Amino acid sequence: MLLGACPEDQAPAEAPWEWQLPPGFPEPFVPEDDPMSAAKVELGRHIFYDERLSYNETMACATCHEQARAFTDGKATPIGSTGHAIPRNSMSLTNVAFQSVYTWANPKLSTLEEQALVPMFADFPLELGVQQDTDAVVRRFADDPEYQALFAAAWPEDDDPFTVERIVQALSSFQRTLISGDSAYDRFIYGGDGTAMSESAQRGMALFFSETGECYHCHAGANFSTSFRSAGTEPGPPDFQNNGLYNLDEAGAYPPGNGGLYEFTGDPRDQGKFRVPTLRNIAVTAPYMHDGSMATLAEVIDHYAAGGRETVDGPFAGDGRQNPNKSPLVRQVELSPQDRADLVAFLESLTDEAFLSDPKFGPP
């Protein structure tokens, strides 16, 4: 046998996965039944950008999750492959591996594998529409010579790796690599670069982490979100917050079809409660809120400074500032024009330009 060759019945073993983590980041949680491998990540990257994953071959995961926008799409709310309107804003996939629950308001989705099934198989609103002919969608990959090699590399022991489960696992593996931690903020805090953040951004940071701003209570930790899990930590109870966007009936109601956590619990006190999103790369993910109803970071700052939003007329008229379900942390606070500009500057310092253009996250 030649040096370095393997017996015919034994494929070369792939090296164990090694995380390349930014300073200050723990290792992400990975389910035991879906361990990381370079082959699965590469396969997942191909599938993520492939429109053949949708039934009518018009839409990929990347359609709603564009790398340059921190894997959002720049729209208030997206449109599915058959034209169905999706009622909620496309969430950023920045550091998605560290979330403890997924989507805007579902408390039951605790892994990326579970989450992937939602856009693939949801009937209303329909997104990718895989359920319309699942076998046909899977066959597109099974019949493609490039994918035959990619699937075989990812699961060399499988006689037939072309299944929905394997597609979902590959997508999840790729998404777990979307780790962002090289912003100006990171270089300032972890890299010791005192010039990385402007003086305005530094003032905004001080206000963000102060008891005046109180932003940090919900946007906490390495990922600026209370929805957090790592390999070494167990997730706490899922955290969903009402930030006073709406109050249609003075009893806390939100627009139909966008009730948040209430849609899963039926508890009126959960109306308008949504998962706290990460703030990393927030400057490139406009528009904001679960329904994309705010166009700029300045508008978001004004909203929180006012303690909520009052909608004067139209079908969604009401005073969100008086919503009975609103978090007590969302309260009116006096901010000067300079304070507001400083907070925006701080949020802009969370942009990781390398993450937004790194070829290993882009199309194959």
Side-chain angles (χ1 to χ4, degrees):
M1 184 172 66
L2 295 174
L3 183 64
C6 296
E8 293 182 359
D9 61 348
Q10 181 179 348
E14 185 172 10
W17 178 262
E18 292 187 11
W19 292 101
Q20 303 296 319
L21 299 170
F25 278 71
E27 184 176 313
F29 166 77
V30 178
E32 291 185 2
D33 61 353
D34 190 16
M36 296 289 292
S37 76
K40 286 167 65 177
V41 169
E42 184 61 14
L43 170 60
R45 183 168 73 107
H46 277 72
I47 297 173
F48 185 88
Y49 285 96
D50 199 326
E51 292 181 344
R52 286 177 291 180
L53 185 60
S54 62
Y55 169 70
N56 61 7
E57 301 186 65
T58 64
M59 186 176 185
C61 303
T63 304
C64 294
H65 299 285
E66 304 171 20
Q67 182 182 7
R69 300 179 187 270
F71 295 95
T72 61
D73 65 358
K75 301 175 183 177
T77 54
I79 301 295
S81 61
T82 58
H84 281 202
I86 313 301
R88 293 180 188 160
N89 185 261
S90 294
M91 301 193 85
S92 172
L93 298 185
T94 299
N95 297 336
V96 71
F98 293 103
Q99 292 174 197
S100 58
V101 289
Y102 293 89
T103 73
W104 275 101
N106 191 334
K108 299 178 181 179
L109 299 179
S110 60
T111 68
L112 280 166
E113 287 78 4
E114 294 169 333
Q115 185 279 328
L117 296 172
V118 175
M120 289 175 65
F121 288 96
D123 288 311
F124 184 80
L126 187 146
E127 295 184 57
L128 294 171
V130 175
Q131 73 276 19
Q132 295 186 74
D133 194 338
T134 304
D135 290 342
V137 172
V138 173
R139 279 199 305 273
R140 293 171 189 163
F141 300 101
D143 293 342
D144 185 302
E146 182 179 16
Y147 276 110
Q148 290 170 7
L150 289 167
F151 273 85
W155 288 283
E157 301 86 3
D158 284 14
D159 292 332
D160 179 15
F162 295 97
T163 64
V164 167
E165 179 184 20
R166 293 310 197 197
I167 289 173
V168 164
Q169 289 177 335
L171 284 170
S172 301
S173 295
F174 169 64
Q175 290 179 81
R176 288 193 173 97
T177 68
L178 302 179
I179 295 176
S180 172
D182 188 26
S183 66
Y185 166 83
D186 295 298
R187 294 192 295 274
F188 183 87
I189 295 295
Y190 300 110
D193 183 354
T195 66
M197 292 176 67
S198 68
E199 291 185 2
S200 177
Q202 292 180 51
R203 290 193 300 268
M205 178 174 63
L207 182 55
F208 182 95
F209 288 107
S210 74
E211 294 303 319
T212 298
E214 294 196 310
C215 315
Y216 75 96
H217 290 291
C218 293
H219 296 286
N223 205 32
F224 291 87
S225 171
T226 48
S227 174
F228 186 83
R229 185 179 190 182
S230 69
T233 62
E234 290 296 325
D239 185 37
F240 301 90
Q241 298 290 342
N242 179 314
N243 66 355
L245 274 180
Y246 299 101
N247 189 14
L248 272 57
D249 58 0
E250 299 185 1
Y254 266 47
N258 256 325
L261 184 62
Y262 169 71
E263 296 173 5
F264 297 90
T265 67
D267 187 338
R269 294 171 296 181
D270 289 335
Q271 290 192 82
K273 290 185 177 180
F274 293 90
R275 179 169 66 79
V276 179
T278 179
L279 294 184
R280 286 188 171 273
N281 296 301
I282 192 71
V284 301
T285 66
Y288 304 105
M289 305 299 169
H290 71 276
D291 57 356
S293 59
M294 293 189 181
T296 66
L297 287 175
E299 189 176 352
V300 173
I301 298 300
D302 289 345
H303 165 82
Y304 283 105
R309 179 174 65 184
E310 181 181 16
T311 303
V312 177
D313 51 29
F316 301 149
D319 192 347
R321 299 171 299 179
Q322 303 302 319
N323 191 303
N325 303 319
K326 187 184 71 170
S327 167
L329 294 170
V330 180
R331 55 177 178 76
Q332 188 173 6
V333 58
E334 292 293 330
L335 295 178
S336 69
Q338 186 64 63
D339 289 335
R340 295 166 194 256
D342 291 343
L343 281 169
V344 170
F346 170 64
L347 294 174
E348 290 173 341
S349 79
L350 301 178
T351 302
D352 179 351
E353 296 291 348
F355 174 76
L356 304 180
S357 59
D358 193 325
K360 69 174 178 285
F361 302 141

